[in-house]
Amino acid sequence: VEHVGQGDTPSLIPPKFPYFAPVATKVKNEDGWLYDPILPDPETWPILQLSRNREEFLKELVALSIANVKEELGNSPTNLKDELARTLYSERIRVTQTPWKADAVDEKEFWSSVKRDMVQIGTNHEQPQVEGHEELLERIVSRYADEIAGVFDPGAYEFAKGFTTTLFARLLNASQGKGLLRFFKMRANLHDKIHLVGHIEHIRLLAQKGTVVMVPTHFSNLDSMLIGWAIQSIGLPPFLYGAGLNLFGIKIMAWFMSRLGAYKVDRRKKNMLYLETLKAYSTLSLRKECNGLFFPGGTRSRSGMLEKRLKLGLLSTAMEAQRLNYLEDGAQAKKIFVVPVTINYNFVLEAQSLIDQHLKQSGQEQYYVENDDFSTSMKIFKFVWNFFTASSEIAVRFGRPMDLFGNKVDNEGVSLDPQGRAVDIRGYFESNGTITKDLQRDGEYTKMLGERIVQAYHREAVVMCSHVLAFVAFNIIKRKYKRMDLFGLMRLPAEDLIIPQEQLYQAVETLLPVLRTMRLNKQLKLEKVLKGGTLDEVIAKGMANMGVYHAKMPLMQNEDGDYQSEDIKLLFFYHNRTVGYDLHKYF
Amino acid sequence: MTSTNTSDKPTVGVVGAGAFGSAIANLLAENQPVILYTRLPEVYESVTATRNNRGRMIHENVRITLDLDDVASNCKLIYPILPSANFREKIQETGPVSPSDHVLIHGTKGVDVQLPRGEQLTASYKLNPKLVNTMTEVILQETIVRRVGCLAGPNLRPRSWPVNLPPRSLPANSMR
């Protein structure tokens, strides 16, 4: 048995909590660093059962969605009619103005037929209007349900799994020597490049006791593929996750995602009927013990910052599923556990377009640019190639699991209070001793959960040398041009972006002990070199990994030995990763 | 004082028998049975014997106790009416006996400051907002209770009210 993760030594378990499994220890088997699957037989995977009984599941889903929609509309036929009209209106605009490759071919016909029937219901006096509208509601919801629900194919999953690993490993091999010859030769270890660290054993135990919901940070479109691979690597059965429908327009992506248990989420559809169907899908699948994966940031972080505010829609479905579990399953009720995951990159392929969008919209997500750097299969291939051939690393850190109320849980899944005593969380859903449906109350719980997840992101983020250098360099430039606002800084010419070597060294030297103290106080995690390396090592590692992919470097060393940014926007993007720790006051 | 039929209503807890706590207990007692916690044996004895709490009368529907468990195990709705200076400490004591279906409504002004180990609050100390917590935040941090409310009101303690508290950890007005 050896400890994993160059980015992490096994953290000390606080003596108050003897219940937790040790952090990240694993056994090396013949395939390299891999965990044995906790459920070796795919027949026992809930996700497969869900897919097998798709028809039945869809029926249940449609029924639940319709019930929720009606309740939301106060069970009023007039409200239903208005909502249908609104949906029809927005959907017809969507179909004509933002068509996507991934859309069903009969999209136009479907909505035309809905329109025709809407008109007919209004003029037909023989059938009561309510019936007509309810029928229409069912038709629309059924269509949404069928679109959202994916199909899981264990054979294809096995193939995809092998394919990803082989592809990653082969590409990795190529980097170990010169040229393509090595591509087929060496057997390298993928886990040298992608570090899987954190509370892995604990999560594996909990996955056998209840349902696990992973909530990763989101910086790159590669995240979905990476997290799928990571989940499989730590021996968990596939997770159900939502992927943007736009990604299904890209062939490689569609191929992977439709087989690795993805369901489709269409961000263009903001109408209530769709959102209720999507939420019902998530609630039902969690109730059926399918582990889930949400990116609670909702979209990739445009600014490069860790998520500060989360989208609570899908998280609220976990709360709803937990309440229903307690209400309907009594003593056998399964618990749902939340695992914050941070994905820590040295560089993000899409950084350039992300930060451009961020600057244009100043943080507001008003439109979505479909054509960014990830839009073609070739570019993805190029990225994967560059990632493995450049000496860059990714750390996927699985944070400490918690229950839906932010309480710690022990290995058995029992919730613990801050003093480490076992508590029953059923009471959260009770008023005067009985479980009640109270959407406002549960909404508040979800909001609090969101805050706990954000706190965990900051605590569990692995700060890398390149992040520190970007942070330091940007702050030095910012201080030099104190009077300029952000947009002024962004327009500075390259010759004004030179930082004397000594100044950079000094600033990093000031920051290092601060970061190390913060790590000891459990406020953040550090990459190995940052934890114990010398100043020279930190700077060398940071520079080696600094935006390796980009055509223009966020930071590079020039002939005089000084540091220079070729693209301050990129520098700003990577700098943003470590804002939120109050580090700027050290400049 | 008129007594209403309160036997079928759930008992409500009040933690802290200061001026505000006593007032809250008396108001609640108009409608339902109340358990009032005090940490002072002399207050307990005085109220038990004469219903007099340092010059104020306590409603007959109020039962006074020296046992926090008594409050926690008999009440779902609890009003911690404590001074901010030892609020965290008292909440840590109630924590273990607070199950997830409790509702806490505190009536405490002021803030809680958690300084890093070894540091002391002086006039020139630069406070970081992360070190300062409201009482609601203290409850959320120290217990598993998530349904937390806050009750605000006027300052009820007269100048003559005997103060029997540990010295305040914060100099007055240091929080401006």
Side-chain angles (χ1 to χ4, degrees):
Chain A
V1 176
E2 248 182 88
H3 294 297
V4 196
Q6 310 184 332
D8 208 86
T9 48
S11 72
L12 291 172
I13 302 151
K16 294 209 268 201
F17 297 109
Y19 325 92
F20 302 125
V23 170
T25 50
K26 60 186 176 184
V27 182
K28 194 175 188 175
N29 65 18
E30 60 225 33
D31 296 328
W33 297 106
L34 285 177
Y35 290 85
D36 290 327
I38 58 169
L39 294 174
D41 181 9
E43 289 299 315
T44 55
W45 295 349
I47 195 170
L48 178 61
Q49 298 307 321
L50 197 70
S51 187
R52 283 239 173 101
N53 307 320
R54 192 167 188 272
E55 289 307 308
E56 206 180 301
F57 176 74
L58 284 184
K59 258 185 219 158
E60 221 177 313
L61 171 58
V62 169
L64 180 64
S65 312
I66 289 176
N68 287 351
V69 167
K70 284 188 182 166
E71 194 184 332
E72 188 83 359
L73 295 173
N75 290 311
S76 141
T78 333
N79 287 352
L80 175 61
K81 184 185 162 193
D82 292 349
E83 198 57 48
L84 285 172
R86 254 195 300 273
T87 306
L88 177 63
Y89 175 74
S90 62
E91 284 293 61
R92 281 174 59 86
I93 289 180
R94 171 183 68 79
V95 168
T96 49
Q97 293 189 353
T98 48
W100 279 351
K101 270 191 267 176
D103 285 331
V105 278
D106 64 340
E107 243 353 45
K108 248 190 183 143
E109 288 80 29
F110 177 79
W111 290 106
S112 299
S113 80
V114 171
K115 189 189 176 193
R116 207 172 43 237
D117 292 353
M118 263 310 258
V119 175
Q120 214 164 42
I121 292 167
T123 51
N124 179 1
H125 298 293
E126 281 162 31
Q127 190 195 22
Q129 290 203 2
V130 195
E131 272 176 36
H133 288 141
E134 290 197 344
E135 195 190 78
L136 219 46
L137 172 66
E138 190 178 335
R139 220 160 89 202
I140 297 174
V141 168
S142 304
R143 185 178 175 89
Y144 286 153
D146 191 47
E147 178 195 287
I148 292 166
V151 181
F152 182 79
D153 174 355
Y157 174 76
E158 278 303 310
F159 180 63
K161 187 172 114 179
F163 180 78
T164 342
T165 309
T166 315
L167 177 78
F168 282 11
R170 282 283 156 82
L171 287 168
L172 177 65
N173 291 347
S175 69
Q176 312 252 318
K178 287 174 216 146
L180 280 169
L181 262 184
R182 293 294 177 109
F183 197 96
F184 302 101
K185 279 187 181 167
M186 266 168 52
R187 226 183 122 74
N189 193 340
L190 208 46
H191 293 270
D192 289 341
K193 284 266 174 182
I194 306 174
H195 305 305
L196 304 178
V197 295
H199 301 258
I200 296 172
E201 282 298 349
H202 194 177
I203 296 162
R204 282 165 54 86
L205 289 170
L206 293 178
Q208 296 167 65
K209 304 277 175 197
T211 310
V212 174
V213 173
M214 278 199 198
V215 284
T217 56
H218 198 7
F219 291 94
S220 167
N221 276 330
L222 190 73
D223 291 344
S224 313
M225 227 197 275
L226 186 69
I227 199 83
W229 178 83
I231 283 171
Q232 165 236 312
S233 296
I234 64 170
L236 300 182
F239 276 45
L240 204 53
Y241 66 99
L245 184 66
N246 54 313
L247 296 175
F248 284 78
I250 307 168
K251 278 193 181 122
I252 286 189
M253 284 286 188
W255 193 90
F256 271 112
M257 284 181 307
S258 55
R259 283 161 184 81
L260 301 179
Y263 58 92
K264 295 177 193 141
V265 180
D266 187 346
R267 73 176 81 213
R268 295 167 304 170
K269 300 188 183 111
K270 305 238 187 250
N271 69 73
M272 193 262 250
L273 269 51
Y274 180 76
L275 295 176
E276 287 299 329
T277 313
L278 189 60
K279 285 206 253 177
Y281 176 87
S282 179
T283 306
L284 265 188
S285 62
L286 286 170
R287 287 214 59 209
K288 293 186 183 299
E289 296 174 41
C290 283
N291 298 325
L293 177 75
F294 310 144
F295 289 105
T299 177
R300 287 167 299 166
S301 166
R302 294 295 189 271
S303 62
M305 282 185 219
L306 283 167
E307 282 89 343
K308 265 191 293 193
R309 227 179 290 144
L310 305 183
K311 302 248 177 179
L312 302 174
L314 280 178
L315 274 184
S316 74
T317 65
M319 198 62 76
E320 177 73 357
Q322 182 71 84
R323 186 182 66 81
L324 289 171
N325 281 359
Y326 277 121
L327 183 70
E328 289 174 19
D329 306 339
Q332 277 83 49
K334 290 272 181 184
K335 269 173 92 168
I336 297 174
F337 306 106
V338 178
V339 178
V341 180
T342 60
I343 304 179
N344 306 276
Y345 293 101
N346 275 300
F347 71 101
V348 176
L349 170 80
E350 310 104 301
Q352 187 82 58
S353 56
L354 289 175
I355 194 67
D356 275 343
Q357 287 178 33
H358 169 70
L359 290 170
K360 263 183 226 155
Q361 306 163 26
S362 1
Q364 278 180 9
E365 189 202 334
Q366 282 152 350
Y367 68 101
Y368 182 73
V369 182
E370 206 191 338
N371 286 325
D372 61 18
D373 294 343
F374 238 101
S375 51
T376 67
S377 301
M378 192 55 214
K379 278 189 177 161
I380 294 166
F381 179 77
K382 206 174 142 204
F383 168 72
V384 176
W385 178 267
N386 275 293
F387 166 67
F388 286 106
T389 51
S391 67
S392 194
E393 288 159 13
I394 293 176
V396 179
R397 186 174 170 90
F398 297 91
R400 186 192 285 290
M402 52 194 183
D403 66 22
L404 288 177
F405 303 91
N407 300 309
K408 290 176 181 169
V409 291
D410 68 12
N411 283 347
E412 301 294 314
V414 175
S415 297
L416 305 170
D417 76 359
Q419 284 78 30
R421 278 163 292 238
V423 289
D424 184 5
I425 61 163
R426 184 191 158 93
Y428 286 121
F429 298 108
E430 288 181 349
S431 295
N432 296 323
T434 47
I435 291 181
T436 51
K437 181 171 186 176
D438 183 339
L439 295 181
Q440 194 198 3
R441 173 196 68 198
D442 292 357
E444 288 298 316
Y445 287 156
T446 310
K447 222 180 339 177
M448 284 188 227
L449 174 62
E451 285 161 17
R452 303 255 168 168
I453 293 172
V454 170
Q455 286 165 9
Y457 281 165
H458 283 83
R459 239 180 11 241
E460 305 278 357
V462 181
V463 176
M464 298 171 142
C465 297
S466 64
H467 302 153
V468 176
L469 288 197
F471 185 81
V472 164
F474 186 79
N475 273 292
I476 291 174
I477 294 171
K478 197 167 122 189
R479 264 192 77 86
K480 192 167 152 197
Y481 302 99
K482 250 187 223 160
R483 306 241 165 121
M484 278 190 192
D485 66 359
L486 181 65
F487 293 89
L489 286 177
M490 294 298 132
R491 281 192 294 269
L492 283 171
E495 58 266 29
D496 288 345
L497 302 175
I498 296 174
I499 300 161
Q501 188 176 16
E502 204 171 307
Q503 206 178 350
L504 187 95
Y505 269 69
Q506 263 175 12
V508 177
E509 198 172 16
T510 319
L511 218 50
L512 265 185
V514 177
L515 288 168
R516 286 173 182 167
T517 311
M518 287 177 82
R519 178 185 157 260
L520 292 178
N521 291 335
K522 296 189 186 299
Q523 289 165 290
L524 44 70
K525 306 285 169 198
L526 297 178
E527 182 181 23
K528 192 182 175 189
V529 177
L530 265 179
K531 241 176 337 193
T534 63
L535 182 60
D536 284 326
E537 283 168 353
V538 168
I539 291 180
K541 176 115 201 249
M543 288 310 293
N545 283 294
M546 177 68 70
V548 272
Y549 170 81
H550 302 294
K552 282 186 169 179
M553 297 294 266
L555 193 68
M556 58 177 287
Q557 206 166 9
N558 64 20
E559 290 140 15
D560 306 331
D562 292 332
Y563 294 87
Q564 185 171 7
S565 175
E566 289 184 314
D567 189 333
I568 189 165
K569 284 187 214 162
L570 283 177
L571 189 65
F572 176 59
F573 179 86
Y574 291 112
H575 142 276
N576 280 342
R577 175 67 197 223
T578 28
V579 300
Y581 291 106
D582 282 333
L583 292 173
H584 53 270
K585 64 182 176 197
Y586 297 98
F587 288 90
Chain B
M1 261 185 249
T2 52
S3 176
T4 45
N5 180 16
T6 56
S7 56
D8 54 338
K9 292 191 175 154
T11 307
V12 175
V14 177
V15 176
F20 198 22
S22 303
I24 296 291
N26 278 346
L27 282 171
L28 290 166
E30 299 280 333
N31 288 312
Q32 58 218 315
V34 174
I35 304 178
L36 176 63
Y37 166 85
T38 177
R39 66 192 171 91
L40 304 171
E42 59 271 26
V43 170
Y44 173 79
E45 272 150 32
S46 158
V47 172
T48 312
T50 64
R51 309 219 64 79
N52 185 329
N53 179 8
R54 289 165 280 182
R56 293 190 181 188
M57 295 309 286
I58 299 293
H59 197 289
E60 61 191 26
N61 282 342
V62 176
R63 179 163 71 72
I64 192 140
T65 180
L66 284 165
D67 179 10
L68 262 182
D69 272 4
D70 187 3
V71 178
S73 52
N74 289 309
C75 313
K76 298 266 184 238
L77 175 61
I78 298 172
Y79 291 78
I81 312 287
L82 300 160
S84 59
N86 60 357
F87 192 83
R88 186 179 285 272
E89 189 189 319
K90 261 287 163 305
I91 288 298
Q92 278 169 345
E93 279 176 43
T94 34
V97 285
S98 298
S100 51
D101 60 349
H102 270 188
V103 178
L104 294 188
I105 300 177
H106 71 82
T108 305
K109 290 179 290 190
V111 289
D112 167 274
V113 181
Q114 293 289 302
L115 296 180
R117 227 171 281 159
E119 289 180 25
Q120 284 196 336
L121 196 61
T122 56
S124 61
Y125 191 92
K126 258 191 129 178
L127 265 181
N128 173 339
K130 282 175 189 161
L131 304 174
V132 182
N133 297 293
T134 64
M135 296 304 130
T136 305
E137 286 166 336
V138 173
I139 295 176
L140 292 175
Q141 287 161 9
E142 298 291 345
T143 73
I144 66 154
V145 176
R146 293 291 176 270
R147 281 174 274 189
V148 182
C150 160
L151 183 70
N155 213 348
L156 286 183
R157 191 176 71 203
R159 292 212 175 271
S160 58
W161 189 266
V163 180
N164 195 354
L165 288 173
R168 294 178 74 91
S169 57
L170 282 178
N173 299 332
S174 65
M175 298 315 304
R176 291 272 161 89

PDB file of all heavy atoms in Angstrom, chain A residues 366-377:
ATOM      1  N   GLN A 366     -25.031  36.464 -20.733  1.00  0.00           N
ATOM      2  CA  GLN A 366     -26.220  36.858 -21.477  1.00  0.00           C
ATOM      3  C   GLN A 366     -26.349  36.127 -22.792  1.00  0.00           C
ATOM      4  O   GLN A 366     -27.431  35.948 -23.321  1.00  0.00           O
ATOM      5  CB  GLN A 366     -26.200  38.362 -21.738  1.00  0.00           C
ATOM      6  CG  GLN A 366     -26.609  39.143 -20.501  1.00  0.00           C
ATOM      7  CD  GLN A 366     -25.988  40.497 -20.458  1.00  0.00           C
ATOM      8  OE1 GLN A 366     -25.101  40.805 -21.244  1.00  0.00           O
ATOM      9  NE2 GLN A 366     -26.439  41.303 -19.527  1.00  0.00           N
ATOM     10  N   TYR A 367     -25.236  35.732 -23.340  1.00  0.00           N
ATOM     11  CA  TYR A 367     -25.335  34.972 -24.565  1.00  0.00           C
ATOM     12  C   TYR A 367     -24.298  33.875 -24.537  1.00  0.00           C
ATOM     13  O   TYR A 367     -23.361  33.896 -23.743  1.00  0.00           O
ATOM     14  CB  TYR A 367     -25.150  35.864 -25.779  1.00  0.00           C
ATOM     15  CG  TYR A 367     -23.755  36.407 -25.934  1.00  0.00           C
ATOM     16  CD1 TYR A 367     -22.862  35.839 -26.835  1.00  0.00           C
ATOM     17  CD2 TYR A 367     -23.325  37.475 -25.161  1.00  0.00           C
ATOM     18  CE1 TYR A 367     -21.578  36.328 -26.952  1.00  0.00           C
ATOM     19  CE2 TYR A 367     -22.043  37.964 -25.282  1.00  0.00           C
ATOM     20  CZ  TYR A 367     -21.184  37.388 -26.186  1.00  0.00           C
ATOM     21  OH  TYR A 367     -19.910  37.878 -26.301  1.00  0.00           O
ATOM     22  N   TYR A 368     -24.478  32.940 -25.408  1.00  0.00           N
ATOM     23  CA  TYR A 368     -23.556  31.834 -25.421  1.00  0.00           C
ATOM     24  C   TYR A 368     -22.915  31.738 -26.795  1.00  0.00           C
ATOM     25  O   TYR A 368     -23.593  31.654 -27.807  1.00  0.00           O
ATOM     26  CB  TYR A 368     -24.313  30.538 -25.106  1.00  0.00           C
ATOM     27  CG  TYR A 368     -23.400  29.357 -25.055  1.00  0.00           C
ATOM     28  CD1 TYR A 368     -22.537  29.178 -23.992  1.00  0.00           C
ATOM     29  CD2 TYR A 368     -23.384  28.445 -26.101  1.00  0.00           C
ATOM     30  CE1 TYR A 368     -21.685  28.104 -23.960  1.00  0.00           C
ATOM     31  CE2 TYR A 368     -22.530  27.370 -26.071  1.00  0.00           C
ATOM     32  CZ  TYR A 368     -21.679  27.205 -24.985  1.00  0.00           C
ATOM     33  OH  TYR A 368     -20.836  26.144 -24.944  1.00  0.00           O
ATOM     34  N   VAL A 369     -21.607  31.823 -26.831  1.00  0.00           N
ATOM     35  CA  VAL A 369     -20.915  31.715 -28.104  1.00  0.00           C
ATOM     36  C   VAL A 369     -20.642  30.246 -28.379  1.00  0.00           C
ATOM     37  O   VAL A 369     -19.916  29.595 -27.639  1.00  0.00           O
ATOM     38  CB  VAL A 369     -19.585  32.489 -28.077  1.00  0.00           C
ATOM     39  CG1 VAL A 369     -18.898  32.403 -29.423  1.00  0.00           C
ATOM     40  CG2 VAL A 369     -19.830  33.934 -27.704  1.00  0.00           C
ATOM     41  N   GLU A 370     -21.244  29.777 -29.430  1.00  0.00           N
ATOM     42  CA  GLU A 370     -21.124  28.347 -29.676  1.00  0.00           C
ATOM     43  C   GLU A 370     -19.748  27.987 -30.220  1.00  0.00           C
ATOM     44  O   GLU A 370     -19.189  26.957 -29.923  1.00  0.00           O
ATOM     45  CB  GLU A 370     -22.204  27.911 -30.670  1.00  0.00           C
ATOM     46  CG  GLU A 370     -22.565  26.473 -30.518  1.00  0.00           C
ATOM     47  CD  GLU A 370     -23.421  26.014 -31.658  1.00  0.00           C
ATOM     48  OE1 GLU A 370     -24.062  26.847 -32.313  1.00  0.00           O
ATOM     49  OE2 GLU A 370     -23.433  24.811 -31.915  1.00  0.00           O
ATOM     50  N   ASN A 371     -19.220  28.893 -31.033  1.00  0.00           N
ATOM     51  CA  ASN A 371     -17.961  28.577 -31.679  1.00  0.00           C
ATOM     52  C   ASN A 371     -16.776  29.034 -30.853  1.00  0.00           C
ATOM     53  O   ASN A 371     -16.205  30.079 -31.100  1.00  0.00           O
ATOM     54  CB  ASN A 371     -17.904  29.235 -33.051  1.00  0.00           C
ATOM     55  CG  ASN A 371     -18.796  28.509 -34.012  1.00  0.00           C
ATOM     56  OD1 ASN A 371     -18.941  27.287 -33.946  1.00  0.00           O
ATOM     57  ND2 ASN A 371     -19.431  29.255 -34.891  1.00  0.00           N
ATOM     58  N   ASP A 372     -16.429  28.293 -29.848  1.00  0.00           N
ATOM     59  CA  ASP A 372     -15.188  28.633 -29.178  1.00  0.00           C
ATOM     60  C   ASP A 372     -14.145  27.575 -29.530  1.00  0.00           C
ATOM     61  O   ASP A 372     -14.325  26.798 -30.446  1.00  0.00           O
ATOM     62  CB  ASP A 372     -15.373  28.814 -27.670  1.00  0.00           C
ATOM     63  CG  ASP A 372     -15.871  27.568 -26.987  1.00  0.00           C
ATOM     64  OD1 ASP A 372     -15.747  26.487 -27.590  1.00  0.00           O
ATOM     65  OD2 ASP A 372     -16.373  27.672 -25.863  1.00  0.00           O
ATOM     66  N   ASP A 373     -13.056  27.585 -28.798  1.00  0.00           N
ATOM     67  CA  ASP A 373     -11.950  26.723 -29.181  1.00  0.00           C
ATOM     68  C   ASP A 373     -12.264  25.239 -29.111  1.00  0.00           C
ATOM     69  O   ASP A 373     -11.440  24.416 -29.464  1.00  0.00           O
ATOM     70  CB  ASP A 373     -10.735  27.020 -28.298  1.00  0.00           C
ATOM     71  CG  ASP A 373     -10.227  28.411 -28.554  1.00  0.00           C
ATOM     72  OD1 ASP A 373     -10.604  28.975 -29.600  1.00  0.00           O
ATOM     73  OD2 ASP A 373      -9.465  28.930 -27.723  1.00  0.00           O
ATOM     74  N   PHE A 374     -13.416  24.917 -28.611  1.00  0.00           N
ATOM     75  CA  PHE A 374     -13.704  23.505 -28.436  1.00  0.00           C
ATOM     76  C   PHE A 374     -14.696  22.993 -29.462  1.00  0.00           C
ATOM     77  O   PHE A 374     -15.306  21.969 -29.300  1.00  0.00           O
ATOM     78  CB  PHE A 374     -14.259  23.262 -27.032  1.00  0.00           C
ATOM     79  CG  PHE A 374     -13.441  22.286 -26.262  1.00  0.00           C
ATOM     80  CD1 PHE A 374     -12.537  22.720 -25.314  1.00  0.00           C
ATOM     81  CD2 PHE A 374     -13.546  20.920 -26.498  1.00  0.00           C
ATOM     82  CE1 PHE A 374     -11.769  21.822 -24.602  1.00  0.00           C
ATOM     83  CE2 PHE A 374     -12.777  20.022 -25.797  1.00  0.00           C
ATOM     84  CZ  PHE A 374     -11.887  20.469 -24.844  1.00  0.00           C
ATOM     85  N   SER A 375     -14.869  23.757 -30.553  1.00  0.00           N
ATOM     86  CA  SER A 375     -16.013  23.466 -31.397  1.00  0.00           C
ATOM     87  C   SER A 375     -15.770  22.362 -32.419  1.00  0.00           C
ATOM     88  O   SER A 375     -16.689  21.890 -33.038  1.00  0.00           O
ATOM     89  CB  SER A 375     -16.474  24.735 -32.080  1.00  0.00           C
ATOM     90  OG  SER A 375     -15.362  25.333 -32.693  1.00  0.00           O
ATOM     91  N   THR A 376     -14.551  21.961 -32.651  1.00  0.00           N
ATOM     92  CA  THR A 376     -14.365  20.889 -33.617  1.00  0.00           C
ATOM     93  C   THR A 376     -13.588  19.729 -32.995  1.00  0.00           C
ATOM     94  O   THR A 376     -12.832  19.908 -32.044  1.00  0.00           O
ATOM     95  CB  THR A 376     -13.567  21.368 -34.849  1.00  0.00           C
ATOM     96  OG1 THR A 376     -12.253  21.669 -34.406  1.00  0.00           O
ATOM     97  CG2 THR A 376     -14.200  22.588 -35.470  1.00  0.00           C
ATOM     98  N   SER A 377     -13.809  18.574 -33.572  1.00  0.00           N
ATOM     99  CA  SER A 377     -13.133  17.385 -33.066  1.00  0.00           C
ATOM    100  C   SER A 377     -11.617  17.547 -33.159  1.00  0.00           C
ATOM    101  O   SER A 377     -10.867  17.142 -32.286  1.00  0.00           O
ATOM    102  CB  SER A 377     -13.557  16.159 -33.866  1.00  0.00           C
ATOM    103  OG  SER A 377     -14.945  16.003 -33.770  1.00  0.00           O
TER     104      SER A 377
END
